[in-house]
Amino acid sequence: MRNTVGQDSVQEIHREIDRATKSTLNVILEGENGVGKDHFARMIHESRNWGGEFVVYDCECSIRDRTRIVEEFISSVVFQKLLRSKKNTFLIRRIDLLQPHLLSRLSDFVDELDKRGAFRRSEILTLGIIGSLQTSEHKRSPANTKLDKFLSRLFRLKITVPPLRERKKEIPQLVQRYISLFNKEQKRNVLGITSEALEILLQYDWPDNICELRREIEGAATLTKDYGSIKPSSLSEILTESVLEKNRIPSQK
């Protein structure tokens, strides 16, 4: 499995996402919690323009539900082949949470397809599957070896999504996007964000990544009047204090 993403380049990750959309290979997206793996998975699906649906199987659930999810996924792949329907994209979210016996079930399924000739080997690698895993959890998992073996068999393209603290050039664009979504959902007219408030966002390290940024913008926009812009006073106290502490010179501490 090829890892194609550098760790500190916004341009590079978008180039690799573009490369994935132009291929038919199964893709694994890895990164910290909240970095936007679902967003990039949907971007790949929409850009491939296969005409099918974007189907999400979320493994962040109970053990019983994970078993059901695996069986539903297997059935969906088989029916798609038999019915020759438009090609769906299957996102298996947090695939690293699957227990060893469920990974074995998926591996056996792939082996069975291969042996029976139901799919050519090249087709198995291009089923339209996108997996996502959380980097830190994957490193601690006792099923690490089995997971790595399964991932290397089914996925041929691995994209590591860097944390937001390494992609701060994207923050202005993300802020405008979240303000637009807020206005649409809440029927509001917040115009944007002041340069002073944006500078604070750019200096913050975002431990919870994009999810935290969206929550911050939604909260600040709620406190902003229509036809106004988000100001530093609208940002959360925890965020502004963190930035002030970060910028405080040693003699003042």
Side-chain angles (χ1 to χ4, degrees), residues 31-44:
E32 295 178 9
N33 183 47
V35 294
K37 297 184 288 291
D38 283 15
H39 167 70
F40 287 117
R42 186 172 287 278
M43 184 186 298
I44 293 171

Side-chain angles (χ1 to χ4, degrees), residues 57-76:
Y57 298 97
D58 192 351
C59 299
E60 201 162 9
C61 56
S62 68
I63 294 176
R64 178 179 296 180
D65 284 340
R66 288 175 200 161
T67 301
R68 174 184 55 79
I69 283 171
V70 168
E71 296 304 323
E72 286 182 359
F73 165 73
I74 289 173
S75 297
S76 296

Side-chain angles (χ1 to χ4, degrees), residues 31-238:
E32 295 178 9
N33 183 47
V35 294
K37 297 184 288 291
D38 283 15
H39 167 70
F40 287 117
R42 186 172 287 278
M43 184 186 298
I44 293 171
H45 164 72
E46 292 175 351
S47 298
R48 282 178 170 175
N49 198 27
W50 285 345
E53 297 180 0
F54 184 72
V55 185
V56 179
Y57 298 97
D58 192 351
C59 299
E60 201 162 9
C61 56
S62 68
I63 294 176
R64 178 179 296 180
D65 284 340
R66 288 175 200 161
T67 301
R68 174 184 55 79
I69 283 171
V70 168
E71 296 304 323
E72 286 182 359
F73 165 73
I74 289 173
S75 297
S76 296
V77 171
V78 172
F79 279 119
Q80 177 172 270
K81 176 65 175 179
L82 292 176
L83 298 176
R84 299 182 181 276
S85 58
K86 292 181 179 179
K87 198 168 185 179
N88 293 332
T89 297
F90 303 103
L91 170 61
I92 307 179
R93 184 187 291 153
R94 291 302 308 274
I95 195 171
D96 51 303
L97 293 178
L98 290 179
Q99 287 81 3
H101 74 280
L102 293 177
L103 290 172
S104 295
R105 173 74 176 107
L106 287 173
S107 293
D108 291 344
F109 170 64
V110 173
D111 285 340
E112 186 177 354
L113 292 177
D114 201 11
K115 290 176 182 177
R116 291 187 177 185
F119 290 86
R120 296 190 301 274
R121 185 62 185 167
S122 59
E123 287 183 302
I124 294 174
L125 297 174
T126 59
L127 287 171
I129 303 170
I130 300 177
S132 74
L133 60 88
Q134 190 167 315
T135 306
S136 58
E137 294 292 335
H138 173 48
K139 290 179 179 178
R140 293 195 300 268
S141 173
N144 199 19
T145 302
K146 185 177 287 290
L147 176 62
D148 283 338
K149 184 177 180 181
F150 172 72
L151 295 180
S152 66
R153 294 184 61 225
L154 191 58
F155 299 94
R156 283 296 178 269
L157 184 60
K158 180 169 74 172
I159 298 176
T160 301
V161 183
L164 186 57
R165 61 183 174 273
E166 296 178 12
R167 298 155 46 201
K168 289 190 175 182
K169 290 182 180 179
E170 286 189 289
I171 288 178
Q173 180 182 357
L174 289 169
V175 167
Q176 291 303 323
R177 178 184 173 207
Y178 294 146
I179 291 174
S180 296
L181 288 173
F182 172 83
N183 285 335
K184 182 177 180 180
E185 293 171 359
Q186 302 299 324
K187 295 181 172 54
R188 294 284 308 280
N189 287 290
V190 176
L191 298 181
I193 186 169
T194 65
S195 58
E196 294 82 4
L198 180 60
E199 182 59 30
I200 293 174
L201 299 184
L202 290 170
Q203 292 186 47
Y204 187 60
D205 285 334
W206 303 105
D208 290 331
N209 292 293
I210 288 176
C211 294
E212 184 179 7
L213 175 62
R214 181 167 185 173
R215 291 195 302 268
E216 184 66 33
I217 295 304
E218 288 176 348
T222 300
L223 298 175
T224 302
K225 294 181 179 180
D226 282 348
Y227 305 105
S229 296
I230 294 173
K231 299 177 181 179
S233 58
S234 301
L235 299 176
S236 66
E237 186 175 344
I238 292 177

